[in-house]
Amino acid sequence: METPLTSGEYAGRKSLTRAIPTLSLDTRMILERETEWADEAATQTLEPRIRYVYTPYRDQSNFPVFDTNRATSGLSQLFSARVYTGHDRVADQNHFTLGLTSLCFSSQTGEEKLSVTVAQRHYVDNQRVTVPGEVGRTDRESDVLGEVALRYSRQLKGALSAQYTPKVSRWQAGSASVSYQPNPGQTASLSYRYQRETF
């Protein structure tokens, strides 16, 4: 049974609706050159990328929040058009994300040998839409995020990731992992994660 809202602008209504447009422009360039990797013919790429997202502000303070939270920071989230998980809040946005990726892969098999990515988001406006208990963002730039993935052989591969905060000049988080797969269905892995305490 639906329960009508009891306070605010929408008091007495059993449902709420909203229509909020979002503009998203994503562009990238791929530059390639032939090289060698462990005496094997390989191709290296350089891929700059820019994504711009704009969502206008709409007051949603009267909408209840059930399961919406800020998305976990990561490279995929930096290039996402969504700020929150769930659908209880649609954040106002006006920002662009700059990223640079370099890949190295076998020219014969297409197997990826090395991947390096670094990205940062730059904000034009402050964020006004928030979930309860959250302080609106006022920073003009995000942390710098980077990832490195290396495949030494078909059996052995490793990965590194890091998060750096320029405004306080410190590393915020990082991780390292290595995995070994001697045979199909058999894998041994070791990983380490670091997260600086926040107050």
Side-chain angles (χ1 to χ4, degrees), residues 83-105:
V83 173
Y84 297 117
T85 61
H87 302 280
D88 305 318
R89 289 290 186 273
V90 178
D92 53 309
Q93 303 181 76
N94 188 6
H95 61 249
F96 57 93
T97 302
L98 304 179
L100 184 65
T101 297
S102 181
L103 303 176
C104 186
F105 55 90

Side-chain angles (χ1 to χ4, degrees), residues 87-149:
H87 302 280
D88 305 318
R89 289 290 186 273
V90 178
D92 53 309
Q93 303 181 76
N94 188 6
H95 61 249
F96 57 93
T97 302
L98 304 179
L100 184 65
T101 297
S102 181
L103 303 176
C104 186
F105 55 90
S106 170
S107 298
Q108 296 180 343
T109 65
E111 182 180 55
E112 186 177 293
K113 304 294 186 178
L114 177 68
S115 172
V116 180
T117 301
V118 62
Q120 185 181 34
R121 178 179 288 177
H122 296 265
Y123 302 97
V124 179
D125 297 324
N126 296 341
Q127 182 184 324
R128 300 171 61 188
V129 175
T130 60
V131 294
E134 181 187 28
V135 177
R137 178 200 47 74
T138 58
D139 294 337
R140 282 294 178 259
E141 60 184 20
S142 73
D143 289 351
V144 178
L145 301 181
E147 288 184 356
V148 178

Side-chain angles (χ1 to χ4, degrees), residues 146-158:
E147 288 184 356
V148 178
L150 171 66
R151 179 178 289 275
Y152 182 76
S153 66
R154 290 184 179 274
Q155 294 79 28
L156 185 63
K157 62 181 180 179

Side-chain angles (χ1 to χ4, degrees), residues 15-186:
S15 63
L16 298 172
T17 60
R18 63 193 163 181
I20 305 176
T22 292
L23 170 67
S24 178
L25 302 175
D26 196 349
T27 181
R28 72 171 69 193
M29 180 184 297
I30 301 177
L31 307 173
E32 295 185 354
R33 75 181 183 98
E34 299 304 314
T35 184
E36 288 188 354
W37 180 274
D39 298 326
E40 178 185 350
T43 301
Q44 182 184 10
T45 70
L46 189 65
E47 306 175 19
R49 179 182 179 184
I50 302 176
R51 184 170 193 183
Y52 174 74
V53 177
Y54 175 75
T55 304
Y57 169 75
R58 297 290 188 272
D59 182 14
Q60 300 161 63
S61 58
N62 286 290
F63 284 70
V65 175
F66 298 103
D67 58 357
T68 294
N69 291 292
R70 182 168 289 274
T72 303
S73 178
L75 279 173
S76 59
Q77 198 282 323
L78 272 187
F79 286 99
S80 172
R82 297 181 59 86
V83 173
Y84 297 117
T85 61
H87 302 280
D88 305 318
R89 289 290 186 273
V90 178
D92 53 309
Q93 303 181 76
N94 188 6
H95 61 249
F96 57 93
T97 302
L98 304 179
L100 184 65
T101 297
S102 181
L103 303 176
C104 186
F105 55 90
S106 170
S107 298
Q108 296 180 343
T109 65
E111 182 180 55
E112 186 177 293
K113 304 294 186 178
L114 177 68
S115 172
V116 180
T117 301
V118 62
Q120 185 181 34
R121 178 179 288 177
H122 296 265
Y123 302 97
V124 179
D125 297 324
N126 296 341
Q127 182 184 324
R128 300 171 61 188
V129 175
T130 60
V131 294
E134 181 187 28
V135 177
R137 178 200 47 74
T138 58
D139 294 337
R140 282 294 178 259
E141 60 184 20
S142 73
D143 289 351
V144 178
L145 301 181
E147 288 184 356
V148 178
L150 171 66
R151 179 178 289 275
Y152 182 76
S153 66
R154 290 184 179 274
Q155 294 79 28
L156 185 63
K157 62 181 180 179
L160 295 171
S161 66
Q163 179 178 341
Y164 181 75
T165 307
K167 68 177 181 180
V168 294
S169 301
R170 72 178 185 182
W171 296 97
Q172 191 69 30
S175 68
S177 66
V178 61
S179 64
Y180 177 66
Q181 187 177 26
N183 298 296
Q186 299 178 344

